[in-house]
Amino acid sequence: MNLYAEIKKLTEYGLQKKLISPEDRIFIINQYLEIFRLDEYEDTEIASEELVLEDILNHLTDAALERGIIDSDDIVTRDLFDTRLMGVMVDRPSNVIARFQKLYEESPETATDYFYEFSQDTNYIRRDRVKKDMKWTVDSPYGTMDITINLSKPEKDPKAIAAARNAKQSAYPKCQLCMENEGYAGRMNHPARQNHRIIPLTINDSKWGFQYSPYVYYNEHCIVFNGEHTPMKIDRNAFIKLFDFVKQFPHYFLGSNADLPIVGGSILTHDHFQGGHYEFAMARAPYEKHFTVPGYEDVEAGIVHWPLSVIRIRHKDEKRLIDLADYILGKWRGYTDEAAYIFAETDGEPHNTITPIARKKGDIYELDLTLRNNITTEECPLGLYHPHSEYHHIKKENIGLIEVMGLAVLPSRLKQEMEMLADCLVHQKPLAEHESLLKHQEWADEIVRKYHGINEDNVMDILKEEIGQVFVKVLEDAGVYKTDAAGREAFDRFIAVL
């Protein structure tokens, strides 16, 4: 491998993607010479083939390992180094912000198109990993559900896990959503972000940041986060913030995880929302029935045909939705219905909260309020309204905002387990040959009873279909009111107190 050629290729990539200008070429090459501890540069002819960023970065990181610039070949160390390489070519935040704001004057969509492309070109969003994600859809009584097996978040090997555990603990940045991540070099227990840029926004008269998720579970998956490291809280201000954003970016939806453990997201310590340019099954789901809230007769309201318990409210004036949402939230926070096993609190611990999602359709604002409850029982210690144990072989994790809307984010282990399971089903091998498949035994037996003539041509489609149906069951588990007659009667009892 010719190190000079790889340095030139990376510089040419930056020029192609307009991360740098021709006038920057010598300066950028010299920055790379410094990183590789080289005192001179030999210009080298490079083939005119397409520049594949993943290959260039892999070659350069291999060279860094050979030269002792990095001391380990684990995924975390490699990511820290190749992010450093990309950071050399990424413009200063002030220039990125100025470009975004200039494009925003043309249209909000033009600005986000630019920033999304930029976030991929800088390798902050790693295109090569995201495309490895497995994605498919499954039809259900509630519409077409999206299923993904997340392969873009790299699995840490034992060396990296040990290094992270032994790394010096730091409170800077306080979490992965803090403003201080922008340009940060990272460490074994915190990702590098030299190639990361944040667009400042004013939300509810305070400073917020706008960025994309590096793992993009759906198109233009963005994160909108508080400029201060302050905990998640669902209250009137949360509804104001959601609509403040949607008014500025009407082509995006924005939603929030709930603010309680079990039914909340993975980061409850930092106030943030997630949104994007994507229509989920939940957004397409129709009203099951309408109702009117006294004092809000002008607001369209109803129960949505969805496995979780969702109230949808619609109006041209978002302030009417904020008022009504705050009223519904207040009623739900204090609501107990023992017959439906809904308790506002037990032993002083609150259980009721809401997962809200805001969007604009035409000139109408829309707000979906998903009723959540995080109570646990002896039979369901992880949560009564949480995936039940018979489905943990597929999905054990919390049902957060993304799943609530109808997109399953399933663990990466499932890819290999599906391949092994397919082999066992086609060749009628016992699952006991693979310890990791034992948890699937009952499910696999059910599949064998349900389908005749399982073969190599149809086995993966069958497994995808059945995984999707498990996800639908998991969402039904998370619904505080079931979709049967008794569940809908109980839901009506809550509506009656509004």
Side-chain angles (χ1 to χ4, degrees), residues 263-278:
V263 294
S266 55
I267 304 179
L268 294 177
T269 54
H270 196 126
D271 191 16
H272 72 285
F273 305 125
Q274 294 180 78
H277 198 184
Y278 191 73

Side-chain angles (χ1 to χ4, degrees), residues 424-445:
C424 289
L425 291 173
V426 169
H427 299 105
Q428 298 176 1
K429 296 178 186 174
L431 269 58
E433 287 184 11
H434 307 280
E435 193 179 340
S436 62
L437 295 187
L438 290 176
K439 59 181 171 288
H440 297 300
Q441 185 70 62
E442 283 184 35
W443 181 61
D445 292 344

Side-chain angles (χ1 to χ4, degrees), residues 359-402:
R359 61 184 81 87
K360 192 176 188 188
K361 289 189 171 179
D363 60 352
I364 303 286
Y365 288 103
E366 195 169 273
L367 184 62
D368 285 351
L369 303 170
T370 311
L371 307 180
R372 312 297 302 274
N373 180 291
N374 76 345
I375 199 166
T376 58
T377 65
E378 278 186 29
E379 299 78 26
C380 299
L382 297 178
L384 178 60
Y385 305 109
H386 176 88
H388 287 180
S389 56
E390 63 263 39
Y391 306 126
H392 286 181
H393 64 107
I394 300 293
K395 175 75 175 172
K396 186 179 183 179
E397 299 78 15
N398 294 351
I399 299 301
L401 170 68
I402 294 170

Side-chain angles (χ1 to χ4, degrees), residues 248-314:
Q248 292 177 61
F249 299 92
H251 60 298
Y252 275 18
F253 77 87
L254 195 67
S256 176
N257 268 305
D259 54 357
L260 293 178
I262 297 175
V263 294
S266 55
I267 304 179
L268 294 177
T269 54
H270 196 126
D271 191 16
H272 72 285
F273 305 125
Q274 294 180 78
H277 198 184
Y278 191 73
E279 187 179 58
F280 289 88
M282 184 187 192
R284 296 189 295 269
Y287 281 109
E288 198 173 282
K289 65 180 285 187
H290 282 84
F291 61 82
T292 304
V293 180
Y296 296 91
E297 289 82 2
D298 56 320
V299 179
E300 184 182 2
I303 294 171
V304 179
H305 181 61
W306 194 244
L308 287 100
S309 310
V310 182
I311 294 171
R312 176 171 295 158
I313 55 177
R314 305 179 81 236

